[in-house]
Amino acid sequence: MITILNDDFSQLNSFLHGKSFSKIFILVDENTHEYCLPVLLGNMETDLGFEILEVEAGEEMKNIQTANQLWEILTEMQADRKALVINLGGGVITDMGGFVASTYKRGVHFINIPTTLLSMCDASIGGKTGIDLMHYKNMVGTFAFPEQIFIYPKFLETLPFKELRSGFAEMLKHGLIADKSHWESLIQIHKLDVETIIPHIHTSMDIKQDVVEKDFHERNIRKTLNFGHTIGHSVESLCLSQGNPILHGEAVAMGMICEAHLAYLEDLISKQDAETVIENIQRYYPYLDISDFTDEAITALLLNDKKNTDSKINFSLLSAIGACTYDHQCTQKNILESLNFYRKLNNA
């Protein structure tokens, strides 16, 4: 299902020729329109007609209003159930494009061509689609696999450094929850750039894909992929609600620091392991100021997390470097202590 594209895009063209699609719709934002779409169109060989659907870039556009506009455009252009939607972009495009395609006329074909490190290693893989509801992350969505995922690593050369660093957080997470050797290889990288990251991408993709294949609907082990996301998503949502969105990986890095300390407080990992995790994440990610967010505001969002049951917050927490538990319910005292621990890092 995941294919690494060669420069001639022959595998993508073989896929297009081998299917009986009626029309192609390519979803982009203004960034991928400028930097990635010319590469795709210059290498895509098909006799099918195609239309370009462009949305504004940014997490704040991943909402029901944008989805509704896309449904209306597909309807106006008479897209039928044999249409193909190509999601060419980062996590916002693959999340939202998959959601629109999987719900339009109860589902049309779609493929993902991720253009960011985060979407290559994480967002485009696993069949989760979604949009945000108000400022709550991914509250509305579907489980729907794309027909195929095509990875073109050279798209990473179009990214600013902050986007590369954002995706690297998910790679670190994959190592921490499932593969200690992957984690240890990643923390040997002293300078984050395309050249140093590309050799490790396939391992991260394999980890994500393996977990998803074991538990597609997130009833057990797939929950481990949420390490760092419970607190991270809350902070990301609060930033979004204030009109000051941050990159997903920045929030996840902050969340992993808090949740590594929380795992120590819950006696799941040693203090030494917690410090190892935290100190290495700090090497790559600057401190994220959460001084404006009260414990009550963060806790309110934690209580709305999708993994929760019976109004109890379920965390995915490390049990070792390279292993993770799920459905762990922590004491309120320890949750707040983990937040205070992070706040104090700014003065350390």
Side-chain angles (χ1 to χ4, degrees), residues 98-114:
F99 174 69
V100 168
S102 67
T103 50
Y104 178 74
K105 294 190 174 179
R106 295 198 175 94
V108 299
H109 307 283
F110 71 97
I111 64 173
N112 291 333
I113 305 180

Side-chain angles (χ1 to χ4, degrees), residues 121-122 169-184 186 204 206-212 214 220-229 252 256 259 277 316-326:
C121 291
D122 191 70
E170 294 288 1
M171 297 177 71
L172 291 171
K173 179 202 73 179
H174 291 152
L176 284 170
I177 67 167
D179 188 338
K180 184 177 182 180
S181 64
H182 184 48
W183 157 262
E184 290 176 342
L186 292 174
S204 263
D206 286 346
I207 291 170
K208 173 75 180 277
Q209 186 70 9
D210 180 62
V211 171
V212 169
K214 292 175 180 175
N220 44 74
I221 193 172
R222 185 169 182 169
K223 295 178 183 179
T224 62
L225 292 168
N226 290 301
F227 170 63
H229 287 61
V252 169
M256 288 193 294
E259 293 177 24
V277 171
S316 297
L317 297 176
L318 300 180
S319 54
I321 294 179
C324 190
T325 65
Y326 55 88

Side-chain angles (χ1 to χ4, degrees), residues 8-224:
D8 61 3
F9 281 52
S10 59
Q11 291 145 307
L12 171 62
N13 291 321
S14 295
F15 169 81
L16 295 176
H17 293 154
K19 303 284 185 175
S20 55
F21 301 120
S22 57
K23 193 172 184 178
I24 296 174
F25 296 87
I26 306 174
L27 179 63
V28 296
D29 62 25
E30 64 260 39
N31 295 324
T32 53
H33 194 157
E34 179 178 357
Y35 297 108
C36 304
L37 183 61
V39 176
L40 175 62
L41 295 183
N43 288 279
M44 192 172 74
E45 299 173 359
T46 179
D47 295 328
L48 295 173
F50 62 86
E51 300 285 350
I52 309 301
L53 311 179
E54 181 178 337
V55 299
E56 292 182 41
E59 181 74 27
E60 58 269 34
M61 300 307 299
K62 200 175 81 172
N63 54 45
I64 192 65
Q65 289 79 20
T66 307
N68 191 62
Q69 290 172 1
L70 292 170
W71 286 321
E72 289 180 355
I73 292 170
L74 291 171
T75 301
E76 290 168 2
M77 292 182 173
Q78 299 182 328
D80 59 29
R81 295 181 76 179
K82 288 188 176 181
L84 172 69
V85 175
I86 298 178
N87 299 313
L88 179 69
V92 170
I93 291 294
T94 57
D95 279 358
M96 183 166 60
F99 174 69
V100 168
S102 67
T103 50
Y104 178 74
K105 294 190 174 179
R106 295 198 175 94
V108 299
H109 307 283
F110 71 97
I111 64 173
N112 291 333
I113 305 180
T115 60
T116 66
L117 182 61
L118 189 146
S119 57
M120 287 182 188
C121 291
D122 191 70
S124 71
I125 301 170
K128 276 187 179 180
T129 79
I131 55 174
D132 301 336
L133 182 63
M134 297 180 289
H135 54 273
Y136 294 99
K137 287 275 296 179
N138 300 323
M139 286 293 280
V140 180
T142 62
F143 286 99
F145 274 126
E147 299 271 326
Q148 189 80 329
I149 301 167
F150 292 98
I151 307 290
Y152 185 59
K154 287 189 177 180
F155 280 146
L156 296 179
E157 296 172 1
T158 69
L159 297 180
F161 171 74
K162 286 183 68 175
E163 288 284 357
L164 272 180
R165 186 177 63 191
S166 177
F168 190 67
E170 294 288 1
M171 297 177 71
L172 291 171
K173 179 202 73 179
H174 291 152
L176 284 170
I177 67 167
D179 188 338
K180 184 177 182 180
S181 64
H182 184 48
W183 157 262
E184 290 176 342
S185 295
L186 292 174
I187 61 175
Q188 295 305 310
I189 298 175
H190 297 290
K191 180 183 178 183
L192 291 183
D193 56 31
V194 175
E195 184 179 354
T196 57
I197 289 173
I198 280 181
H200 305 279
I201 291 176
H202 210 288
T203 302
S204 263
M205 290 191 298
D206 286 346
I207 291 170
K208 173 75 180 277
Q209 186 70 9
D210 180 62
V211 171
V212 169
E213 287 176 354
K214 292 175 180 175
D215 177 27
F216 178 46
H217 287 102
E218 198 173 15
R219 295 196 171 97
N220 44 74
I221 193 172
R222 185 169 182 169
K223 295 178 183 179
T224 62

